[in-house]
Amino acid sequence: AGTMEIVYVYVKKRSEFGKQCNFSDRQAELNIDIPPSPQLAEQFVERNPVDTGIQCSTSMSEHEANTERFEMETRGVNHIEGGWPKDVNPLELEQTIRFRKKVEKDENYINAITQLGSVRLPRRQRSGPQPSLCFPTCMSGPSEKDTSWNLPSGSRQTGPPCTDQRHCIKQNNAIDIYQEYFDDEDAVEVMEEAPSAKTINVFRDPQEIKRPATHLSWHPDGNRKLAVAYACLNFQRAPEGMSNDSYIWDLENPNRPEIALKPSSPLVTLEYNPKDSHVLLGGCYNGQIACWDTRKGSLVAELSTIEFSHRDPVYGTIWLQSKTGTECCSASTDGQVMWWDIRKMSEPTEVVIMDITKKEQLENALGAISLEFEPTLPTKFMVGTEQGIVISCNRKAKTQAEKIVCTFSGHHGPIYALQRNPFYPKNFLTVGDWTARIWSEDSRESSIMWTKYHMAYLTDGAWSPVRPAVFFTTRMDGTLDIWDFVFKQCDPALSLKQVCDEALLCLRVQDNGCFIACGSQLGTATLLEVSQGLCTLQRNEKNMASSIFERETRREKILEARHRELRLKEKGKAEGRDDDLREEEPTLNLEELVTKAEEEFFDIIFRELKRREAEAVKKKPKPVALRVRPISVAELEEGATLIAHKVDEQMVVLMDPMEDPDDILRAHRSREKSYLFDVAFDFTATQEMVYQATTKSLIEGVISGYNATVFAYGPTGCGKTYTMLGTDHEPGIYVRTLNDLFRAIEETSNDMEYEVSMSYLEIYNEMIRDLLNPALGYLELREDSKGVIQVAGITEVSTINAKEASLEQLAGAVERSTHPSPGGDGRGLGRAARE
Ligand code: ADP
Ligand code: MG
């Protein structure tokens, strides 16, 4: 089957287009005869060559042809097996076989096929890669002598046609036409929608005396339930009658918790067992570890004995990914990390003391408040401490002391969150003081990336489980920040202010990365859903994130090496040339140092301010003012009329002087043209007004060191000289500028030194003349060594007498240029004043 384009022929009679031209020969006739006149000639300047267009015929009117719209339509036609001659019915097998046989016996056909077998390579290549070679199995008719094979005459191949053809086929197959060459070149997909998040549900502490929500845990199967631990962490300040209960919430029902968990001391942490969703692990405020089996109700199923438990609140509990699913670990500010098996909860299986001096002394131990255990690195675990140090530990070390492997310090306060990147476990996130930091295990001296210092403390943080470059942080001021460091480094990709009116204390991301729960100071758990882009792995994101991690680690290492080098040098100096240094030191007293530092500081600030100011000035558009001068008496006598009208402060309208109400051809044309300027003046404007609006404001800039240019532009006689120079009674911009300039200089001369020089030149017919000393003749433009264009040899009137001389000489110049030489008007373009 095939489709057929339907062609529509659009016909229009010639007569409908207007009158036809008929050319005919006839005798030349004289239309007009203008004899040369010497008087007239005097009024003209001779021009050579002269290009003139002549139109002898009268102008004709326009004629428009409006054609009718025609609707086109393409229809398919079912066309069965094309190419059979009319007398062959393609459905009759017998007929087609007979026809095929007839054709195959045809000499032309045989020739064509044999020659096709030796198709030359260059021609195949030229036609580009094709899926396969095609062989005609049937031809429309052998009658026409077919020359389309286009072979060099006489190159008839008699042998088997296969060899060359095979080559062609092989070559064809060498190119995989289905291969996508630029598949992986695509840039990171830009997130189609801006990152966003919406609150889905809010779960409030049902108790009358509200307690802070200290920890959250998602039900391991899907996002149906959320366990929330509630505890008041103010030491011995918990109000009388405050409940110890924590809750499991069904996400569908924010009105009532599904189950209450009833420990004897409030829970600081609460964790679902990932292997068994009925089992939960809780760390109590009094240091005990408790276990629940929700099938058995609200009461504690297993509890550690007080004497073998922590002595401070348990701030961190995690389940270990073990075969039995019964092992877990806890951390407390008492400086211990304990390992437990819930089948035997009476005492811990192991205790590690967080003493980084490796002396195993509890009094030296740092308070452990966050834990990280990565199942793929089962011998390692990490502990975030109250003192802002991350301790990396080896679980399998032989002695206690060896269990403390190394530390990472950089935070100025407790590390509330510690988590390895789910994609690149070598890199981990910490949250403490006012920052979140990302570290590499390879770089111990400093974190490799960090957020800015926030105004409020950060309270918790976590990686997105699905995007290597995304993490979440909560703040004391109730803000949830979502970071995407591939997309933006200095600021969060999304900052959700006021998730709560009070402080946010904890957060937990659901395994699909789309749902985030935040717990607040007043016991409110807010459930948020982030937009699709934030919880879908972006194209190439893994590579980008890993290369950012690697690059930043490298950078930190280079800095570390450099620091070490400097420290060594200092040490060498301190030991070696100690004495020389001592002698020099006392000469610099502290006060001097402080003033010097202050000066430098303000210098930097002023320079920056100046730079910004200059930039702002540069960006400002150059104001353009228009001045319409009055019609002179002479012009009035000639019958001139005013066509430029000022409409408002900025708009000027030009009326068409040729306007003729009887002229039908022009009747439809717009009769007037309007133009907009920054400011417009008509003949009523005084010199002072023009000066005020265009130039006066520049003076301040000039005396503080900026360049300024004012220039007048227009055809001869439009009033440029009048505006710039003016007359004795009506001085123009030059004189007014100089007056104001000198006044401004005098006013500020106490704390500024100025140098004023003036030159005055004329550019006419591309020639430069010094108007302060016309005898110099024509001057040249040159570029000096700094690339500044200068007029070589121009007179500059110096500072001392600039004021008097300039005004006097200007006046002289006014005279000269208002009585122009016969050569034409002196068009002065003045560099009136220079700083
Ligand atoms: P340009 O320098 O542009 O060739 P001029 O300044 O010499 O033009 O002006 C031509 C004529 O018009 C002069 O005689 C000038 O005095 C007069 N003129 C120009 N502008 C005004 C104005 N605003 N008010 C009165 N006269 C003007
Ligand atoms: Mg002039």
Side-chain angles (χ1 to χ4, degrees):
T3 58
M4 198 190 278
E5 283 294 328
I6 296 172
V7 177
Y8 177 78
V9 182
Y10 185 74
V11 185
K12 184 162 180 160
K13 278 192 193 135
R14 173 67 188 84
S15 62
E16 283 169 27
F17 285 106
K19 197 173 169 228
Q20 188 180 350
C21 294
N22 283 320
F23 296 103
S24 59
D25 251 357
R26 62 170 178 188
Q27 282 298 307
E29 58 186 69
L30 190 67
N31 276 339
I32 188 167
D33 182 21
I34 305 171
S37 140
Q39 285 121 307
L40 274 175
E42 259 173 36
Q43 291 178 22
F44 292 89
V45 183
E46 197 175 324
R47 258 212 281 169
N48 191 16
V50 179
D51 297 314
T52 313
I54 295 172
Q55 170 73 296
C56 247
S57 66
T58 49
S59 44
M60 303 282 280
S61 71
E62 272 178 74
H63 190 106
E64 275 174 33
N66 201 3
T67 57
E68 250 174 65
R69 262 176 73 94
F70 187 78
E71 298 284 334
M72 291 267 280
E73 189 182 9
T74 303
R75 275 198 208 145
V77 171
N78 194 16
H79 185 82
I80 299 164
E81 191 152 0
W84 294 97
K86 245 192 222 140
D87 48 323
V88 177
N89 180 356
L91 295 177
E92 286 285 335
L93 197 63
E94 205 188 332
Q95 281 186 34
T96 57
I97 290 174
R98 202 183 312 131
F99 180 75
R100 198 175 267 143
K101 274 201 181 135
K102 196 176 97 199
V103 170
E104 281 167 5
K105 269 186 212 131
D106 188 285
E107 205 185 330
N108 273 335
Y109 176 81
I110 293 168
N111 279 347
I113 286 298
T114 49
Q115 284 169 5
L116 184 69
S118 63
V119 177
R120 293 295 137 97
L121 289 178
R123 289 206 302 126
R124 284 280 309 126
Q125 278 168 344
R126 218 180 302 144
S127 60
Q130 286 171 2
S132 63
L133 287 170
C134 299
F135 300 100
T137 50
C138 126
M139 287 161 59
S140 56
S143 52
E144 234 178 87
K145 185 165 169 21
D146 204 332
T147 53
S148 66
W149 309 117
N150 198 16
L151 288 169
S153 58
S155 78
R156 209 184 227 205
Q157 190 164 334
T158 44
C162 311
T163 15
D164 272 5
Q165 234 168 40
R166 238 186 250 143
H167 180 91
C168 292
I169 291 166
K170 270 189 192 155
Q171 199 183 36
N172 242 349
N173 292 344
I175 303 165
D176 177 4
I177 59 156
Y178 299 108
Q179 187 176 341
E180 300 253 4
Y181 285 98
F182 304 107
D183 207 19
D184 44 63
E185 298 261 308
D186 269 3
V188 183
E189 236 168 66
V190 186
M191 273 179 254
E192 316 91 61
E193 28 149 23
S196 66
K198 56 173 189 264
T199 303
I200 297 180
N201 233 331
V202 177
F203 306 91
R204 293 180 211 282
D205 181 7
Q207 293 290 331
E208 215 152 278
I209 308 171
K210 306 280 179 224
R211 299 129 336 133
T214 51
H215 201 89
L216 307 163
S217 180
W218 287 94
H219 189 278
D221 311 327
N223 43 11
R224 296 188 346 256
K225 287 176 201 173
L226 183 71
V228 185
Y230 301 88
C232 172
L233 297 176
N234 291 346
F235 182 61
Q236 295 187 340
R237 292 254 183 83
E240 194 80 18
M242 191 181 244
S243 166
N244 289 343
D245 296 1
S246 285
Y247 301 111
I248 294 175
W249 294 90
D250 183 327
L251 298 190
E252 307 275 84
N253 181 7
N255 301 320
R256 220 160 46 86
E258 189 182 75
I259 300 181
L261 305 175
K262 294 181 175 296
S264 49
S265 166
L267 292 183
V268 184
T269 66
L270 185 58
E271 283 289 337
Y272 265 111
N273 184 337
K275 285 241 165 114
D276 183 351
S277 59
H278 299 291
V279 177
L280 289 109
L281 176 71
C284 301
Y285 188 70
N286 70 353
Q288 280 179 298
I289 306 294
C291 247
W292 279 266
D293 186 328
T294 53
R295 286 164 296 199
K296 293 178 190 161
S298 301
L299 293 178
V300 177
E302 304 283 342
L303 187 67
S304 63
T305 42
I306 288 219
E307 53 273 41
F308 294 112
S309 297
H310 289 287
R311 297 167 196 185
D312 264 355
V314 179
Y315 286 97
T317 44
I318 48 172
W319 289 96
L320 305 183
Q321 297 254 341
S322 62
K323 245 182 254 152
T324 55
T326 56
E327 282 180 75
C328 52
C329 172
S330 64
S332 161
T333 43
D334 67 359
Q336 303 180 87
V337 171
M338 293 182 174
W339 304 81
W340 306 84
D341 189 320
I342 55 163
R343 290 170 298 187
K344 187 176 156 289
M345 275 300 271
S346 53
E347 53 186 285
T349 52
E350 195 187 333
V351 178
V352 183
I353 294 168
M354 292 296 117
D355 176 5
I356 52 172
T357 61
K358 302 195 179 181
K359 290 185 187 129
E360 293 168 58
Q361 282 172 339
L362 203 53
E363 54 268 33
N364 288 344
L366 306 181
I369 57 167
S370 44
L371 281 171
E372 158 66 41
F373 180 82
E374 164 63 39
T376 57
L377 306 165
T379 60
K380 288 185 174 179
F381 67 97
M382 289 202 294
V383 181
T385 65
E386 249 182 321
Q387 288 75 12
I389 294 173
V390 173
I391 306 175
S392 175
C393 306
N394 181 356
R395 209 182 143 198
K396 296 275 144 73
K398 282 189 204 95
T399 67
Q400 275 281 334
E402 277 170 29
K403 290 196 173 167
I404 311 280
V405 177
C406 64
T407 59
F408 300 85
S409 45
H411 279 293
H412 312 298
I415 293 175
Y416 294 113
L418 170 63
Q419 193 194 2
R420 290 183 189 268
N421 186 291
F423 295 80
Y424 301 101
K426 221 188 212 181
N427 300 99
F428 57 93
L429 172 78
T430 57
V431 170
D433 54 66
W434 304 269
T435 58
R437 293 174 181 272
I438 298 171
W439 306 71
S440 160
E441 275 187 328
D442 298 340
S443 169
R444 288 185 194 162
E445 304 235 329
S446 142
S447 49
I448 56 167
M449 289 190 252
W450 49 89
T451 66
K452 63 184 176 198
Y453 279 90
H454 293 277
M455 295 309 285
Y457 282 112
L458 298 193
T459 52
D460 202 1
W463 290 104
S464 160
V466 289
R467 292 195 49 193
V470 172
F471 62 93
F472 305 85
T473 54
T474 48
R475 286 200 237 154
M476 259 331 201
D477 61 4
T479 305
L480 169 69
D481 284 327
I482 305 177
W483 302 78
D484 177 351
F485 63 76
V486 166
F487 171 63
K488 214 187 214 180
Q489 286 88 34
C490 348
D491 283 303
L494 179 63
S495 190
L496 299 164
K497 305 218 164 56
Q498 309 259 294
V499 169
C500 264
D501 291 334
E502 65 269 13
L504 287 179
L505 297 184
C506 55
L507 82 100
R508 205 69 190 261
V509 189
Q510 214 271 326
D511 282 344
N512 60 15
C514 301
F515 296 100
I516 295 148
C518 305
S520 83
Q521 181 75 40
L522 293 181
T524 306
T526 308
L527 184 62
L528 296 130
E529 182 179 3
V530 297
S531 55
Q532 204 54 40
L534 284 170
C535 56
T536 356
L537 189 66
Q538 306 290 295
R539 181 175 280 192
N540 213 13
E541 178 176 355
K542 279 196 200 169
N543 288 338
M544 303 256 278
S546 110
S547 60
I548 291 181
F549 284 145
E550 269 163 35
R551 192 185 64 211
E552 295 303 316
T553 308
R554 224 170 20 242
R555 182 181 56 78
E556 272 312 319
K557 274 193 187 155
I558 291 169
L559 287 178
E560 266 173 38
R562 175 92 184 119
H563 276 154
R564 224 170 297 139
E565 208 174 282
L566 283 179
R567 268 203 304 270
L568 277 179
K569 247 188 211 161
E570 294 266 295
K571 224 174 153 192
K573 242 190 210 165
E575 283 164 3
R577 283 182 290 120
D578 223 15
D579 308 315
D580 325 353
L581 280 176
R582 287 246 172 85
E583 275 166 27
E584 284 169 25
E585 256 164 36
T587 52
L588 287 170
N589 71 42
L590 194 65
E591 230 167 82
E592 255 174 53
L593 275 177
V594 170
T595 26
K596 211 174 138 206
E598 268 179 4
E599 262 169 31
E600 269 171 26
F601 173 77
F602 284 114
D603 203 42
I604 291 169
I605 292 194
F606 282 135
R607 231 178 302 148
E608 175 64 15
L609 280 177
K610 210 148 204 194
R611 195 187 59 76
R612 286 194 193 172
E613 217 174 283
E615 217 146 76
V617 168
K618 243 187 235 163
K619 275 189 200 138
K620 235 197 240 164
K622 316 283 172 292
V624 176
L626 176 85
R627 186 179 197 179
V628 180
R629 71 156 166 79
I631 297 184
S632 68
V633 180
E635 285 164 334
L636 276 176
E637 276 170 2
E638 278 170 23
T641 55
L642 204 60
I643 60 158
H645 302 276
K646 177 180 155 188
V647 180
D648 63 20
E649 286 311 307
Q650 295 192 306
M651 193 191 280
V652 168
V653 170
L654 283 192
M655 304 297 247
D656 186 350
M658 305 301 281
E659 195 186 309
D660 175 0
D662 300 331
D663 188 344
I664 294 155
L665 288 179
R666 286 203 174 92
H668 292 301
R669 292 220 325 229
S670 153
R671 292 169 178 193
E672 49 188 46
K673 290 211 166 93
S674 52
Y675 299 88
L676 264 182
F677 300 88
D678 292 294
V679 55
F681 302 103
D682 61 7
F683 57 92
T684 61
T686 63
Q687 297 281 64
E688 180 63 17
M689 282 160 71
V690 174
Y691 168 71
Q692 294 256 1
T694 59
T695 313
K696 195 174 168 123
S697 58
L698 297 175
I699 305 268
E700 202 192 323
V702 169
I703 63 162
S704 29
Y706 295 110
N707 291 330
T709 306
V710 176
F711 91 96
Y713 178 82
T716 301
C718 73
K720 297 183 296 292
T721 308
Y722 181 86
T723 302
M724 296 306 263
L725 277 176
T727 62
D728 286 348
H729 303 292
E730 287 290 334
I733 283 174
Y734 291 174
V735 176
R736 288 170 203 267
T737 305
L738 286 171
N739 280 337
D740 278 353
L741 192 62
F742 284 113
R743 193 176 308 136
I745 286 172
E746 262 160 39
E747 277 164 15
T748 53
S749 60
N750 288 339
D751 38 42
M752 289 281 187
E753 230 173 75
Y754 296 96
E755 198 185 297
V756 180
S757 68
M758 188 194 84
S759 43
Y760 189 46
L761 58 86
E762 174 205 77
I763 306 173
Y764 185 64
N765 273 347
E766 301 185 4
M767 301 296 236
I768 302 168
R769 274 196 318 148
D770 187 349
L771 291 181
L772 294 180
N773 187 1
L776 288 177
Y778 295 125
L779 301 180
E780 271 179 52
L781 272 188
R782 297 228 181 96
E783 193 174 320
D784 73 3
S785 57
K786 287 178 205 136
V788 180
I789 307 286
Q790 287 189 331
V791 180
I794 191 145
T795 313
E796 288 195 14
V797 182
S798 67
T799 332
I800 320 144
N801 53 5
K803 196 172 175 184
E804 289 77 28
S806 60
L807 291 177
E808 236 164 67
Q809 279 171 320
L810 263 183
V814 172
E815 211 126 290
R816 274 196 295 284
S817 58
T818 44
H819 304 294
S821 55
D825 168 32
R827 268 186 248 176
L829 202 147
R831 199 166 51 139
R834 263 190 16 173
E835 174 213 0

